Amino acid sequence: MRTWKAISGALVATALTVGASGATATAAAPSAAAATTKCSSGNERTIALPGKPDIWMRVMLCVERVSSSQHYAYAKVYWDASLIGGNRFDGFKLQVRLERNDAVKATWTCDLKRVLNEWDSGPTNGHFCGSASSTSTLTGGWSADGKADYDVDNDGKGYLPAWQLGGSPLVS
């Protein structure tokens, strides 16, 4: 039996063999043109919420080469906070940029206000935001970068200076 599953945006066939000793699964070896994904780390912050428990957040920016000419940038957002009544944010926009050698090739903006206000924590595999994409045969220097613009509810400050996120490592 052969099943298909997505791994880093690419479909990979998995063969399942059942014999006298039980079932074993083997995956096809990735080819030279297989997807390559690299993600940032360290984009963490605890945001103070007046009159409410603070919220801890992590944003991982990822760049993925899915073929020799197709690149994507996306974010995975993680957070943890106590379940509250009311809002944490009056606005929260996350911008993801696909860049090549620090030149912006595409952008994508996610409005995270609703999920951050309604959910006490993000999914264990991260809340997906994206994706900016580009078709180009140029190789090397591709990365994901981004920023978060947010307005904390009831702090009287409006939108705070942008949270500039550390970018991903480079892919070819």
Side-chain angles (χ1 to χ4, degrees), residues 31-57:
S31 68
T36 300
T37 303
K38 294 195 178 176
C39 297
S40 65
S41 61
N43 289 316
E44 292 186 29
R45 159 175 296 199
T46 299
I47 300 172
L49 304 174
K52 299 174 186 120
D54 297 345
I55 184 171
W56 167 86
M57 298 189 72

Side-chain angles (χ1 to χ4, degrees), residues 77 92-94 110-117 127 129:
V77 183
F92 198 108
K93 303 230 187 233
L94 177 62
C110 297
D111 186 345
L112 299 177
K113 174 185 162 184
R114 185 184 60 75
V115 297
L116 292 173
N117 284 336
H127 182 82
C129 171

